[in-house]
Amino acid sequence: MNPPPLHNFLVVGAILFTLGTIGFLTRRNLIIMFLCAEMMLQGVAVNLVAFARHRGNLQGQSFTLFIITVAACEAGIALALFLTLFRNRHSLDISLWQDLREPDQEPNVDEEPLPTPEPQKPLPQLTPAGHEPTQRQETSHV
Amino acid sequence: MFNLIEALAAFLRQNWRIVLPLLAGMAAIYLLLPRPRRYSALLGSVAGAAALILAGLLLVRTGSVTVDTVLFYAFSGIAVLAGGLLITQRNPAYAALSFALVVLSSCGLFLLQAAPFLMAATIIIYAGAILVTFLFVLMLAQTEGPDDANDRSREPLLATVSGFVLLGILLLVLNMTYDTSRIDKFLVRARLASQKDAPEEIDRALANGERLWDDSADEGPEEDRSNGERFLIAFSKELSRVRGIEETARFRDELRNDLPNRWVEDRYSADANEGARRLKRLLARVEEQGQRAAQTHGDLAPAPYNPVTKTGVPLSDFSGPAANTPVRRDAAGNAALPAENVAALGRSLFTDYLLAVELAGTLLLVATIGAVAIAYRGERNA
C-alpha cells in the first residue's frame, strides 16, 4: 500500500497558489480579491502539511497554525477596511481607487460598455373572459 | 534562431505532459473570466475539463489503486475545480461558496496527511468564522444589476499568461526535484521480474511493458546487451539524478563500473542459473536502494550534529526527529508521526515556537483593536 507521494501534494499546492495569484491580479471586486489571497495561503498550507508528513515531524503543521492565525487577523482588518472603502465610494470596485497609483502611470479607463440588464418582463395578465356575474342586491327582510 | 526552435522542440518533446494541461487550463481561465461580452461558457468548461483530466494523468502512478489515492484524487480535483470557479464566478456570494469548497477539500487533504487538528481548526476558522463574516459584508455591500466590480476583469490575458508561466515553472521544478514516478516504474518492474525463476523469463519480464531505457543503454564496447544489463544501466542513470545519499551513490557507481565485466563473466560461464541468481540478488538490491532513493529524493538535510567534535547544527527534536537525523519509516514508506496529534502539536508550539505563539497572540489582539478603530463611525465622521 503506497500513499500518494509528496510530489502530488506539492503539485496541488502549486495549482491552488497560482489560481489565487491569477484571481488576485484580474478580479476587481475587493472581496473576491481577498478570497483569492486566502486561497494562495491554502496552497501554501497544503505544501507545509505535506512536508510535515514526508519528514515525519510536526514543524510544518505548526507553521500552518501560524498561517491560520495571520489569516484570521488579516480577515478582520480587511473587512473593516472594506466597510470604510464601501462607505466612501458606494461600490466594492477597486478601480475606483486608482488615484492611488504611481504618478507616471496611465489611468485605467473602461471602454467597453457593460451590457444593459434585460428589462424585466411584465407579469402576464389574464385576458378577461366570460361576463361578470351579476350580483343580486342583498336585501334584508327584517 | 534555428537553435532556438530546436531547443524549444526538444523542451516540448520532453515536457509535453506538463505543457498540455497548462495550455488547456490557461485557455479555460481566460475564456471564463468575467468580461462585458462573455465567450461561450461551454468552450471554457470543455477546456477546463480537459486541463483537469490531463493534469490528473500527469499525477497518475503505476501500482495498485488504494483508498488513499482515490481520496487524494477526489479532494484535489474538487479543490482545483472550486478554485477555478472562485476566480471565474461573477457573483461574489457564489465565489465565497466555492472558496468554502476549496477549504473543505484541502481539509480532506490535511486529513490524508495525518493532520486532524489542522483539519478541524481550518474548517472552524475559515469555513466557520471568516467566510460567514464575508457573506455578512457582502450582504451589506450588495449592488443591483451589472457592476464594474463583478463584470470586468483587469488585463485578463496578461494575468492569465503570467500566472500560468509561474505555474509551469513551479511544476517543472517540482518534477525535476520531487518526481519519483520514474524510480517507481523501475521498482515495480524489478519486483515483477524477481518473481520469475528461469533466466530467459527474468529477461523477458524486465522488458515487458513500457520501455524504460533509450538507445544510450546499448552504447559501449559490448555489442548485444541482454535486457537485464540494459535495465541495470538505465537504473544507474536514474539514480544519478538523486543527490546526497552516499550509499545510493556507491550502488550507482558499482552498477556503472563493475557491472559490464561481471556480466561478461556470467554470460560465458557454463551455469546459466548462477547468472540468474546473481541477477536476482542485484534486483533485490535495486528494490532496496530504489525505495530509499524515492523516499529521500529532493531532501536537503543539514549536516548531522556531532556532540564530540561540535560540528553540524544541534537542532531541537521537540517537534519530532530533528531535520538532520534520519527519518524513521514503516514498511510502506510512511514516516512515523505521533498518534496524539493535538498533544504533539501542543508540545511543539509550547517548546520550539513559544515566542512565536506569544507574538501571534499579540498580533491577534492588535488586529482586533485595529479593526474596531478602522470601522469606528463615531463623532469623528458624523
Side-chain angles (χ1 to χ4, degrees):
Chain A
M1 161 136 170
N2 284 324
L6 172 70
H7 175 242
N8 286 7
F9 288 93
L10 298 187
V11 168
V12 174
I15 293 177
L16 285 184
F17 185 85
T18 329
L19 283 179
T21 318
I22 296 173
F24 192 82
L25 290 176
T26 52
R27 297 307 303 264
R28 287 173 40 170
N29 190 321
L30 280 169
I31 289 190
I32 293 185
M33 286 175 70
F34 180 84
L35 290 179
C36 288
E38 297 285 311
M39 184 157 70
M40 291 164 79
L41 290 182
Q42 278 292 315
V44 176
V46 169
N47 243 3
L48 286 176
V49 174
F51 271 115
R53 179 87 185 113
H54 179 66
R55 290 291 309 175
N57 68 20
L58 289 170
Q59 285 163 355
Q61 297 191 15
S62 305
F63 279 174
T64 312
L65 272 178
F66 290 117
I67 290 187
I68 295 177
T69 315
V70 172
C73 299
E74 187 197 322
I77 300 277
L79 285 178
L81 279 173
F82 292 171
L83 274 182
T84 323
L85 295 179
F86 181 75
R87 253 185 242 138
N88 266 307
R89 293 283 202 273
H90 298 286
S91 166
L92 285 174
D93 188 4
I94 197 159
S95 291
L96 295 178
W97 294 93
Q98 54 180 327
D99 356 336
L100 295 177
R101 67 184 184 276
E102 302 266 317
D104 52 342
Q105 292 285 313
E106 291 293 311
N108 177 24
V109 186
D110 301 322
E111 279 153 6
E112 206 168 343
L114 282 175
T116 46
E118 288 179 17
Q120 289 232 323
K121 275 189 203 156
L123 291 173
Q125 281 185 336
L126 293 176
T127 48
H131 62 88
E132 206 171 342
T134 51
Q135 227 170 1
R136 216 156 26 127
Q137 197 74 37
E138 271 188 36
T139 50
S140 72
H141 308 279
V142 179
Chain B
M1 190 63 205
F2 187 66
N3 274 343
L4 194 69
I5 294 172
E6 218 167 46
L8 198 67
F11 173 81
L12 284 180
R13 220 173 14 250
Q14 210 174 3
N15 296 308
W16 61 271
R17 278 163 194 280
I18 298 178
V19 175
L20 267 188
L22 283 178
L23 288 179
M26 188 153 73
I29 297 288
Y30 177 70
L31 289 175
L32 288 175
L33 273 177
R35 46 172 70 83
R37 241 180 315 154
R38 308 195 88 175
Y39 294 104
S40 114
L42 183 71
L43 215 62
S45 333
V46 168
L52 264 185
I53 292 171
L54 287 170
L57 289 181
L58 172 71
L59 297 182
V60 155
R61 293 304 163 126
T62 53
S64 54
V65 178
T66 58
V67 182
D68 278 24
T69 22
V70 172
L71 284 178
F72 169 78
Y73 284 121
F75 284 136
S76 47
I78 296 174
V80 172
L81 191 70
L85 279 181
L86 163 57
I87 65 176
T88 53
Q89 201 73 251
R90 55 168 86 189
N91 186 340
Y94 291 157
L97 290 183
S98 16
F99 178 68
L101 210 53
V102 171
V103 170
L104 286 182
S105 41
S106 59
C107 283
L109 292 181
F110 287 172
L111 210 51
L112 279 183
Q113 299 280 49
F117 177 70
L118 273 184
M119 177 215 61
T122 312
I123 290 184
I124 293 169
I125 295 177
Y126 269 103
I130 297 186
L131 210 66
V132 170
T133 338
F134 263 94
L135 287 176
F136 221 53
V137 173
L138 267 182
M139 302 303 149
L140 275 180
Q142 202 146 43
T143 48
E144 290 278 321
D147 183 10
D148 275 344
N150 297 333
D151 292 279
R152 291 184 196 280
S153 316
R154 240 172 312 138
E155 303 287 353
L157 182 66
L158 289 182
T160 324
V161 169
S162 55
F164 274 88
V165 166
L166 171 69
L167 182 58
I169 293 169
L170 283 176
L171 289 189
L172 276 179
V173 171
L174 286 180
N175 219 33
M176 278 194 292
T177 331
Y178 289 107
D179 184 25
T180 57
S181 56
R182 292 268 310 164
I183 294 183
D184 289 347
K185 277 180 196 155
F186 277 96
L187 288 183
V188 170
R189 193 70 60 81
R191 206 168 298 146
L192 286 179
S194 54
Q195 286 162 2
K196 304 282 192 303
D197 287 321
E200 306 86 46
E201 279 182 1
I202 298 181
D203 223 47
R204 216 172 308 131
L206 283 178
N208 195 8
E210 190 193 341
R211 203 155 173 257
L212 288 180
W213 48 81
D214 49 11
D215 295 334
S216 65
D218 281 328
E219 280 167 14
E222 290 303 312
E223 281 302 310
D224 49 336
R225 289 212 161 94
S226 70
N227 287 333
E229 285 169 290
R230 293 194 188 117
F231 179 84
L232 290 172
I233 290 171
F235 184 70
S236 76
K237 275 198 188 127
E238 198 57 41
L239 278 190
S240 58
R241 283 176 56 211
V242 184
R243 279 157 301 176
I245 317 151
E246 233 168 85
E247 209 179 323
T248 313
R250 225 178 300 137
F251 184 60
R252 182 192 67 213
D253 292 341
E254 197 181 313
L255 280 182
R256 203 181 280 164
N257 303 331
D258 307 353
L259 200 67
N261 310 328
R262 224 187 301 163
W263 270 90
V264 174
E265 278 170 33
D266 280 343
R267 190 182 299 163
Y268 297 113
S269 76
D271 191 1
N273 284 333
E274 174 58 32
R277 238 168 294 152
R278 198 173 280 180
L279 179 57
K280 273 171 100 166
R281 273 204 298 278
L282 267 175
L283 286 182
R285 287 190 61 198
V286 163
E287 270 190 60
E288 182 198 342
Q289 293 292 332
Q291 209 151 23
R292 179 166 311 166
Q295 280 162 3
T296 47
H297 205 20
D299 276 6
L300 287 174
Y305 178 61
N306 188 340
V308 181
T309 56
K310 296 255 190 311
T311 50
V313 195
L315 291 175
S316 144
D317 58 355
F318 282 120
S319 333
N324 52 8
T325 53
V327 184
R328 282 180 294 129
R329 289 176 194 280
D330 62 9
N334 290 318
L337 272 179
E340 294 163 321
N341 182 256
V342 184
L345 258 183
R347 190 175 126 105
S348 161
L349 284 181
F350 284 98
T351 49
D352 280 350
Y353 300 109
L354 185 58
L355 183 63
V357 169
E358 301 292 341
L359 282 178
T362 318
L363 185 67
L364 271 173
L365 177 70
V366 173
T368 319
I369 298 173
V372 172
I374 291 172
Y376 177 68
R377 185 151 61 158
E379 292 147 24
R380 269 183 311 162
N381 299 339

